[in-house]
Amino acid sequence: MEEAQQTESTGIKPLLRVLEGTREAVPPIWMMRQAGRYLPEYRAVREKAGGFLDLCFNSELAAEVTLQPVRRFGFDAAILFSDILVIPLALGRKVEFQVGEGPKLESMADAAALANLHESIDNKVLAPVYETVARVKSALDSKTTLIGFCGAPWTVATYMVAGEATPDQAPARLFAYRDPESFARLIDRLVQGSIEYLVGQLKAGAEVVQIFDTWAGVLGPQQFERWCIEPTQKIVEGVRGRIPGAKIIGFPRGVGAMALPYVELTGVNGIGLDWTFEREIARDMLQPRVAVQGNVDPLALLAGGAALAREVDDVMETLAGGRHIFNLGHGILPQTPIAHVEQMLKRVRG
Ligand code: CP3
């Protein structure tokens, strides 16, 4: 009883504690894309659900696949199963996922396409996602943190403008250079929609939200400030204006030398780093300011064995002295053997 009271007041969720400013002897651990095709139980549900978006909007099945990796591996966090592209959908754009081909959207080559974009997100479209959050929350034990998410406006815009995944995000970068005012209107629409969406998830039971800026790394410094830092800062401020103290992790993939301004200007509680980020710089410059999440190379996880052991040890030796959330530097690859995930967990937790 006494112990229960004590844990109640200090908080017993390791991931939340790290975001609040403590260092954990064993870092909390979860994996980007932890609910996914490398798991046979995911593939079974996915087959039953029909299309990928059908799965995202089926609260019962989405909650089930969210919980699968937590059950199997005992991760410290569950991440909502959904996708960043539900926001364009809720703004009135067509979004489809074709098997093996990735997302297909109506493209937006110029300002004219903005006329067909809704002013604000349709929460009716997103209601099943909020229900998934509530279902997962009620199923989690007292140590596991529920993470919600959205895509950062820049990254979502790269898909909306091109209509599909691109190797260099050239269509969105060109749009932004040619017509920055119109591009800013698109970004602002995404900022407002993302605030609304994240607040909806936090109200439904998410305890942390992560903003995925997968394509941040293609932007030069000025563009990065304008299209990545500024919108993220507005989302953080907007969410905290409605949910004071909301905990937010940013994942500006490929951030490189812009990491410090990103952290200082956006006000995030944690930063997710990809595997190319110099770990000693993360330790010396970032950990004193925020929690650092990452940054095992997903290919080291795929390789397994000695290469994985070395990678895990290096991350631990460099980052475990400070506020650290153990994670991958990007999503787990579908071909990854489950035994390698087990090997990684064992090496971190001992
Ligand atoms: O486990 C989790 O991490 C939660 C679920 C999640 C998904 N997508 C499920 C998904 C999360 C957090 C995302 C975010 C997401 N979606 C990002 C940002 C993170 C990142 O990976 O960089 C991006 C860029 C997207 C857009 C997207 N969704 C693409 C480009 C694709 C196709 C590529 C692919 O991996 O197939 C998706 C599909 C997608 N989203 C899958 C999953 C599990 C695979 C689809 C399937 O199961 O058939």
Side-chain angles (χ1 to χ4, degrees):
M1 191 61 208
E2 220 180 296
E3 203 195 336
Q5 274 172 2
Q6 200 184 359
T7 47
E8 189 65 42
S9 61
T10 50
I12 59 166
K13 301 196 177 196
L15 192 132
L16 290 182
R17 277 205 301 248
V18 171
L19 290 174
E20 278 157 8
T22 8
R23 175 194 164 268
E24 293 289 302
V26 178
I29 174 166
W30 67 281
M31 293 193 305
M32 276 189 257
R33 289 279 178 99
Q34 65 188 21
R37 287 163 294 190
Y38 74 106
L39 289 177
E41 60 268 37
Y42 170 83
R43 295 196 297 269
V45 174
R46 172 83 171 71
E47 212 162 288
K48 195 163 81 178
F52 172 69
L53 282 174
D54 297 320
L55 177 52
C56 292
F57 290 118
N58 181 324
S59 308
E60 194 189 335
L61 297 183
E64 169 58 21
V65 295
T66 302
L67 291 163
Q68 284 172 345
V70 176
R71 259 186 233 128
R72 185 189 267 270
F73 301 112
F75 285 129
D76 293 282
I79 179 156
L80 164 69
F81 188 86
S82 180
D83 199 81
I84 63 167
L85 299 178
V86 300
I87 286 296
L89 203 62
L91 285 170
R93 306 300 292 176
K94 281 206 190 87
V95 180
E96 285 172 16
F97 282 85
Q98 281 136 15
V99 180
E101 277 193 52
K104 290 272 179 284
L105 296 80
E106 300 168 76
S107 60
M108 301 179 72
D110 52 38
L114 278 167
N116 303 321
L117 204 61
H118 296 170
E119 277 297 326
S120 53
I121 57 164
D122 182 352
N123 262 321
K124 280 199 296 295
V125 173
L126 300 171
V129 179
Y130 304 137
E131 198 196 320
T132 305
V133 171
R135 277 175 186 258
V136 173
K137 184 66 177 297
S138 68
L140 286 178
D141 69 16
S142 56
K143 288 190 179 146
T144 313
T145 301
L146 177 52
I147 303 174
F149 72 92
C150 70
W154 163 251
T155 287
V156 175
T158 66
Y159 291 98
M160 291 176 80
V161 171
E164 61 191 357
T166 49
D168 51 5
Q169 295 72 54
R173 286 157 67 200
L174 266 178
F175 191 142
Y177 279 126
R178 285 179 175 148
D179 187 356
E181 280 76 33
S182 300
F183 193 70
R185 276 169 52 216
L186 171 59
I187 292 290
D188 278 341
R189 205 70 62 86
L190 290 168
V191 165
Q192 294 314 319
S194 303
I195 293 170
E196 194 68 35
Y197 185 44
L198 293 180
V199 166
Q201 294 179 38
L202 288 160
K203 283 188 173 161
E207 298 158 290
V208 176
V209 288
Q210 175 153 324
I211 303 171
F212 284 92
D213 216 345
T214 303
W215 301 121
V218 297
L219 296 170
Q222 274 99 30
Q223 303 288 306
F224 183 85
E225 273 198 58
R226 178 144 191 210
W227 306 124
C228 174
I229 292 183
E230 250 181 60
T232 303
Q233 189 263 336
K234 283 186 193 156
I235 293 175
V236 170
E237 208 174 83
V239 169
R240 293 209 184 120
R242 294 188 34 207
I243 316 261
K247 292 192 183 57
I248 303 175
I249 301 173
F251 174 61
R253 187 159 80 104
V255 67
M258 296 300 282
L260 194 56
Y262 177 89
V263 159
E264 290 192 325
L265 296 170
T266 60
V268 292
N269 307 89
I271 182 169
L273 297 175
D274 66 85
W275 65 93
T276 65
F277 199 91
E278 171 56 57
R279 287 176 191 138
E280 284 169 14
I281 294 178
R283 178 193 64 199
D284 298 341
M285 290 179 59
L286 301 179
Q287 278 187 321
R289 295 173 167 85
V290 285
V292 165
Q293 176 174 279
N295 62 347
V296 166
D297 185 346
L299 278 177
L301 181 62
L302 177 56
L308 176 58
R310 259 198 311 279
E311 177 80 351
V312 170
D313 291 353
D314 190 66
V315 169
M316 291 297 284
E317 274 158 28
T318 319
L319 297 176
R323 304 163 59 186
H324 179 215
I325 299 165
F326 193 95
N327 205 313
L328 304 178
H330 198 206
I332 182 171
L333 296 159
Q335 323 84 287
T336 308
I338 284 166
H340 295 185
V341 178
E342 287 163 349
Q343 180 196 344
M344 180 175 78
L345 273 164
K346 205 160 158 216
R347 198 128 185 127
V348 176
R349 289 178 166 165

